[in-house]
Amino acid sequence: MPITLPSSLPAFDVLAREGVSVMSHSRAARQDIRPLKIALLNLMPKKIQTENQFARLIGATPLQIDLRLIRMSAHRTKNTAAEHMAAFYRPFRQARKEKFDGLIITGAPIEHLPFKDVTYWDELCEVFEWTQTHVHSTFGVCWGGMAMIHHFHGVQKHLLEKKAFGCFRHQNLAPASPFLRGFSDDVLIPVSRWTEMKQDEIDAAPGLVTLLGSDEVGPCLVEDATHRALYIFNHLEYDSTTLKDEFDRDTAAGSPIDVPVNYYPDDDPSQMPTNRWRSHAHLLYGNWINEIYQSTPYDLDRIGTEVRD
């Protein structure tokens, strides 16, 4: 089954060319089924790139997905055309009356700031609380995951002395988890961050279970069943060249940056990188969508009012 997108959204043509099944809203309205309603709260500056990355993953399942795009109400992006934002995004204050089967909260390039210094922190905390009554399952990604685990559990993020940058091996710590169904014993995952969460602090917080972790870059994927949430601090959604684009950008600007670890063949930036994480990215988001499908109420109005089995 397809993912439902506005036919004028750039991701519609991008995914169609890649062979992902996409459907316009007008065509979807003629089908007598209830699609899963998934929202993307996009905090990244490059909105279109991020839309493509997540739509590609959640649109690859056998289920019909209705993807809605949300932004923070007062924050204005400087990197995406205002026309695009006006056409495809709604501010949270307009979307908050609705209920969703799933919500993805992306990362944001504001790691260096204390959470309370983020201009939209108060509204984001409202979003976190809103998920408990209006969203069946939430997926916090990178800074979004760090912010959410901090809000609900007080777990701190810590600045690194050196940026974690490259592709790192992660161990499958919970092979029986339905979110890791089909996963290998170890997984290569792209990482690009200046902060980390510490495993001992996560272990000290009741109800948190680490599903993926690395000896080199720490915990990666954490389940928070109490709040119906997953937190991932790294980037399985990245395109093949996302780390390359970041490396090339900083190199051209004369900013100090190391060659991303274990990313280019022979660690040679003159060669094109090889994508070795795509299959696990599809597995993770497909498993998440499947778990939502298995447990979400058929009646959207009942989301947030039922106790899960």
Side-chain angles (χ1 to χ4, degrees):
M1 296 295 290
I3 181 171
T4 303
L5 300 171
S7 57
S8 54
L9 186 74
F12 190 98
D13 289 337
V14 171
L15 300 186
R17 288 195 299 269
E18 293 179 3
V20 177
S21 183
V22 291
M23 179 183 289
S24 67
H25 286 302
S26 59
R27 182 181 172 197
R30 296 195 294 270
Q31 295 197 327
D32 189 22
I33 60 174
R34 178 170 103 64
L36 291 182
K37 189 177 175 183
I38 307 293
L40 176 67
L41 178 57
N42 193 348
L43 306 176
M44 290 296 288
K46 295 183 177 180
K47 305 295 186 190
I48 296 174
Q49 180 186 64
T50 304
E51 295 158 14
N52 292 344
Q53 290 172 347
F54 285 106
R56 178 181 295 116
L57 294 174
I58 66 173
T61 76
L63 304 173
Q64 184 174 320
I65 306 295
D66 182 5
L67 181 65
R68 305 295 180 91
L69 301 176
I70 301 175
R71 62 171 176 84
M72 303 311 297
S73 300
H75 183 71
R76 294 292 181 266
T77 182
K78 300 176 182 178
N79 297 278
T80 303
E83 293 80 6
H84 181 88
M85 300 301 296
F88 302 114
Y89 281 80
R90 284 183 303 155
F92 170 66
R93 64 171 175 260
Q94 291 182 9
R96 66 181 308 156
K97 294 181 181 179
E98 298 183 41
K99 294 196 173 184
F100 296 88
D101 298 295
L103 169 70
I104 298 170
I105 302 175
T106 74
I110 48 178
E111 291 180 273
H112 60 290
L113 292 175
F115 289 122
K116 62 181 178 60
D117 291 347
V118 174
T119 57
Y120 50 79
W121 179 248
D122 289 344
E123 186 180 23
L124 189 58
C125 289
E126 291 181 33
V127 173
F128 296 151
E129 291 298 323
W130 169 81
T131 65
Q132 300 307 286
T133 55
H134 286 70
V135 179
H136 186 65
S137 181
T138 305
F139 208 144
V141 180
C142 199
W143 184 86
M146 292 181 179
M148 196 170 180
I149 199 174
H150 173 74
H151 174 78
F152 284 125
H153 298 277
V155 180
Q156 300 294 324
K157 63 180 173 70
H158 301 271
L159 287 172
L160 294 167
E161 293 183 2
K162 182 179 180 181
K163 185 177 185 178
F165 188 49
C167 295
F168 295 86
R169 286 284 171 191
H170 290 69
Q171 287 72 52
N172 182 343
L173 303 176
S177 169
F179 297 108
L180 299 185
R181 190 178 291 114
F183 265 58
S184 306
D185 292 335
D186 70 345
V187 186
L188 193 74
I189 303 179
V191 180
S192 178
R193 50 179 164 81
W194 283 97
T195 54
E196 66 174 349
M197 311 303 284
K198 293 188 179 295
Q199 186 62 59
D200 59 342
E201 295 180 11
I202 291 174
D203 291 339
L208 297 180
V209 178
T210 302
L211 307 182
L212 294 172
S214 166
D215 293 337
E216 296 176 275
V217 290
C220 171
L221 180 66
V222 177
E223 181 182 4
D224 181 359
T226 301
H227 296 96
R228 304 187 309 278
L230 289 175
Y231 314 125
I232 187 168
F233 309 130
N234 302 327
H235 291 284
L236 274 171
E237 82 281 0
Y238 269 4
D239 296 325
S240 302
T241 61
T242 303
L243 293 180
K244 177 184 185 306
D245 294 341
E246 185 175 341
F247 176 73
D248 291 346
R249 177 201 66 199
D250 288 357
T251 299
S255 303
I257 187 169
D258 292 335
V259 174
V261 174
N262 196 27
Y263 176 59
Y264 295 105
D266 302 320
D267 293 324
D268 180 0
S270 68
Q271 300 191 50
M272 285 299 296
T274 302
N275 190 311
R276 291 171 289 161
W277 59 90
R278 183 183 295 115
S279 58
H280 283 105
H282 281 280
L283 276 174
L284 178 60
Y285 284 89
N287 288 340
W288 177 61
I289 292 293
N290 183 57
E291 286 303 298
I292 292 174
Y293 175 74
Q294 296 289 338
S295 57
T296 194
Y298 183 83
D299 182 356
L300 275 169
D301 289 337
R302 293 168 62 187
I303 286 175
T305 66
E306 297 184 338
V307 177
R308 295 177 67 184
D309 295 334

